[in-house]
């Protein structure tokens, strides 16, 4: 219905499908304009219903997907560990550790990025995503 604008109808039931049929039916312009406006209003209403339905569906799917997500809140001064990614030099074998650190959180940004400080007070100015950080408990 949304693709073609109308429901599927058998050709025998179509009353005003084309200009040729309108000329054969000998409808006046006022009636044709009224019918055409009604169809256009119905199309706009159907589009709005489809948009609302799509938004409700996306919200429902996002809620189901984010149901088990736990947000990580870090504050400056906390001790954290940083994940070692496979492309880093430190990841050189099967038995190497997966985390390095501890580091101290120096600054927290709104999007979840952090700037870390090493234990000897050297600040790494490259921000890191909070997904690659976990809290270090002493």
């Amino acid at each position: 219905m949304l693709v073609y604008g109308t429901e599927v109808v058998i050709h025998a039931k179509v009353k005003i499908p084309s200009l040729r049929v309108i000329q054969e039916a000998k409808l006046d312009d006022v009636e044709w304009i009224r019918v055409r406006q009604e169809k256009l209003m119905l199309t706009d209403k159907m589009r709005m219903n489809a948009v609302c339905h799509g938004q409700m569906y996306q919200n429902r799917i996002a809620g189901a997907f984010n149901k088990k997500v736990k947000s990580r809140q870090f504050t400056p001064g906390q001790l954290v560990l940083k994940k070692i990614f496979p492309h880093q030099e430190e990841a050189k074998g099967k038995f190497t550790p997966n985390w390095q650190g501890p580091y101290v959180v120096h600054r927290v940004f709104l999007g979840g990025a952090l700037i870390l400080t090493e234990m000897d007070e050297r600040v790494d100015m490259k921000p890191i995503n909070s997904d690659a950080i976990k809290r270090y408990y002493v």
Side-chain angles (χ1 to χ4, degrees):
M1 186 170 192
L2 287 174
V3 174
Y4 299 109
T6 59
E7 292 184 17
V8 178
V9 181
I10 300 174
H11 291 292
K13 296 182 180 180
V14 175
K15 294 181 181 176
I16 309 174
S18 67
L19 183 61
R20 182 179 56 83
V21 175
I22 291 171
Q23 289 175 350
E24 288 177 6
K26 297 181 181 171
L27 294 174
D28 57 345
D29 291 338
V30 176
E31 183 180 347
W32 182 80
I33 290 172
R34 183 185 55 78
V35 170
R36 187 73 180 154
Q37 284 179 344
E38 287 176 2
K39 286 185 179 182
L40 290 175
M41 296 281 282
L42 181 64
T43 303
D44 290 339
K45 186 177 178 182
M46 289 178 352
R47 284 188 182 139
M48 286 303 294
N49 286 341
V51 167
C52 291
H53 178 73
Q55 288 175 348
M56 288 183 346
Y57 177 74
Q58 285 181 345
N59 290 340
R60 194 169 50 239
I61 294 299
F65 183 76
N66 296 329
K67 182 171 39 176
K68 295 184 180 181
V69 173
K70 296 178 184 174
S71 63
R72 297 180 180 180
Q73 300 294 329
F74 294 102
T75 57
Q78 281 183 335
L79 292 176
V80 294
L81 296 175
K82 183 169 68 168
K83 185 171 183 64
I84 299 175
F85 291 105
H87 66 277
Q88 291 177 325
E89 292 177 10
E90 292 88 6
K92 286 193 173 186
K94 184 175 182 178
F95 299 108
T96 58
N98 295 330
W99 299 91
Q100 66 184 160
Y103 293 95
V104 179
V105 176
H106 180 69
R107 188 168 176 200
V108 180
F109 295 107
L110 288 178
L114 304 170
I115 292 184
L116 302 178
T117 304
E118 293 186 22
M119 294 304 285
D120 59 356
E121 302 295 326
R122 285 187 290 154
V123 178
D124 184 18
M125 294 308 294
K126 184 177 176 185
I128 187 165
N129 195 349
S130 63
D131 293 343
I133 301 293
K134 75 176 179 178
R135 184 102 187 263
Y136 178 68
Y137 297 98
V138 181

